[in-house]
Amino acid sequence: AHIHTTVVSSADVEASGIAHGITVIGPPDWRAMNYEPTPNDLSIILQVRWKSIVLLLTGDVEKRAMEEVLQRKNDLHCDILQAPHHGKKSPDWREFAERTSPRILLVSSEGGSLAPDLIDRYRQLGAQVYITAERGAIVIEERIGQINVGTQY
């Protein structure tokens, strides 16, 4: 089967705006920069507005792409954040934590490489933290503005 793909970056979204509640926040437009991105820095970063909830999905984004996202003045506040780079520490994670300030942090990780001070900082900011290595599969439901989280164990 033939599958059509399209490469997008945050530069494409600035021209097209929000479509169906999804905004492409990243990756940055590396074509316009003098920098060869790592494969992780090509991760798509999506802000998804669904009912009354805002999700920020960050893929496996690392240091350089996160720096570029933080330099732009996007509204990164969200209700649910999928932790960048599996919850591993990066130089700008404190600013990113404060700019996102999620109610729920989802960490897809096998657990061994987590940055405990990063997880603690999100908890200090009021986030409930769910780590797949500890909880297994995570299911999110929205009912009348309430976010319900279910876990495998």
Side-chain angles (χ1 to χ4, degrees), residues 24-148:
V24 178
I25 303 292
D29 185 4
W30 299 114
R31 298 168 292 195
M33 303 169 72
N34 190 17
Y35 175 75
E36 185 65 34
T38 66
N40 286 350
D41 281 340
L42 292 173
S43 292
I44 193 162
I45 304 169
L46 298 176
Q47 184 181 61
V48 180
R49 295 181 185 281
W50 179 65
K51 296 185 180 183
S52 63
I53 297 173
V54 178
L55 296 93
L56 190 60
L57 307 173
T58 61
D60 206 13
V61 67
E62 293 186 67
K63 178 185 183 300
R64 182 65 192 263
M66 187 181 287
E67 288 172 350
E68 292 296 324
V69 167
L70 289 170
Q71 282 179 11
R72 294 191 306 271
K73 297 302 175 192
N74 296 348
D75 178 9
L76 298 176
H77 184 267
C78 58
D79 299 297
I80 302 170
L81 172 65
Q82 174 259 317
H85 201 51
H86 305 283
K88 297 175 187 171
K89 189 185 273 188
S90 83
D92 295 320
W93 68 265
R94 288 181 197 274
E95 180 182 354
F96 191 79
E98 290 167 11
R99 294 259 313 267
T100 56
S101 192
R103 292 191 283 166
I104 297 171
L105 177 69
L106 305 176
V107 183
S108 174
S109 174
E110 295 177 2
S113 59
L114 291 176
D117 48 344
L118 179 144
I119 302 300
D120 288 344
R121 181 63 186 142
Y122 279 104
R123 284 188 174 122
Q124 290 169 0
L125 291 169
Q128 297 173 24
V129 177
Y130 296 89
I131 303 169
T132 57
E134 299 170 359
R135 304 278 189 114
I138 301 168
V139 176
I140 307 273
E141 292 182 320
E142 185 273 351
R143 293 185 191 267
I144 313 168
Q146 290 289 105
I147 300 173
N148 301 312

Side-chain angles (χ1 to χ4, degrees), residues 1-44:
H2 178 73
I3 299 172
H4 176 75
T5 60
T6 303
V7 176
V8 296
S9 75
S10 57
D12 300 317
V13 170
E14 291 171 6
S16 62
I18 297 174
H20 305 292
I22 298 174
T23 303
V24 178
I25 303 292
D29 185 4
W30 299 114
R31 298 168 292 195
M33 303 169 72
N34 190 17
Y35 175 75
E36 185 65 34
T38 66
N40 286 350
D41 281 340
L42 292 173
S43 292
I44 193 162

